[in-house]
Amino acid sequence: MALIAKYKVTDVEDYINARKLASSLGFLFTIACVWFVALYTRFKPVRLLLALNNLYLICILINEVSPTGILYSNIRRLSSISLPWGEPITHPEGTLNPLFGLQFLAIISNVVFAFYACYRQYQRGEKQAALILALSLAIFVGTVQYDRLMDLGVFKSLYLSEYGFLSFVVIMSLRLTKELMQAVKLREQLIESERLRKIAVELERNRLARDLHDSVSQTLFTVATIAEALPRVWKRNPETA
């Protein structure tokens, strides 16, 4: 919605407000993404994560405090370009803010952490999960870098990082759904195994009870037989008795 507002405005002040909103939301999305990667890969150096988050929080602060946002130190005017299907969108013409480098540093730092977390997950043996996460991150990072080239004026088109973030969400949602289904199936198997174990234990108890009962019965029968025969043997041969 912030992007739509940014593309459709015709006034510089309205563009700046829309741009600030879109940038701040992008920073927040990236912070959430980094924490998701940390939790998913189970690589959670808390101090490092907080330091990475602080870089983006500083970017958000600069973006909100600066009159024209973190990207531009001033915007001279708005120009319009036409997309391949004929729809016009707005693009600014202005001077880049030197503090734009801080945003670039935040991006690079978070990208290095995310791919290192994937590497750690891969080394633990979770190879498929790590590769899928790395692929979704690569798409997201690629679209972010594409947007930075647009900010530098290399070319003008639609910003793609939001679509990259969406692809990241979709890919990882499918992956998490698969893992959830596998977990449910495993849980059902464990429940079934526990049920079969209880049945096996009960059968074994019954078998032992029968064996014990038969053994005791045989012993008592033997004792009774000997006791019954003993008086007759005693009469014939006391020593043997």
Side-chain angles (χ1 to χ4, degrees), residues 59-77:
C59 288
I60 292 174
L61 181 62
I62 295 172
N63 184 62
E64 294 301 323
V65 171
S66 176
T68 52
I70 193 171
L71 181 59
Y72 295 99
S73 57
N74 67 79
I75 297 176
R76 294 186 298 274
R77 67 188 184 89

Side-chain angles (χ1 to χ4, degrees), residues 25 28-30 32-34 36-37 40 132-133 135-141 143 160-178:
L25 288 174
L28 291 174
F29 289 160
T30 307
C33 179
V34 169
F36 171 81
V37 170
Y40 183 75
I132 291 175
L133 177 59
L135 172 63
S136 61
L137 283 171
I139 295 172
F140 184 27
V141 171
T143 56
L160 297 180
S161 59
E162 285 73 16
Y163 300 101
F165 183 78
L166 179 62
S167 68
F168 174 82
V169 171
V170 170
I171 292 172
M172 292 312 300
S173 294
L174 293 174
R175 174 65 190 178
L176 289 171
T177 300
K178 181 180 179 181

Side-chain angles (χ1 to χ4, degrees), residues 103-124:
Q103 179 183 353
F104 187 74
L105 174 63
I107 292 172
I108 295 300
S109 301
N110 281 272
V111 166
V112 170
F113 166 79
F115 282 108
Y116 180 70
C118 291
Y119 171 76
R120 290 286 296 265
Q121 186 181 31
Y122 186 89
Q123 290 295 101
R124 285 203 310 270

Side-chain angles (χ1 to χ4, degrees), residues 145-159:
Q145 296 311 312
Y146 175 89
D147 287 1
R148 298 296 75 80
L149 292 176
M150 286 186 57
D151 291 336
L152 294 172
V154 177
F155 42 75
K156 293 183 177 181
S157 180
L158 283 171
Y159 284 95

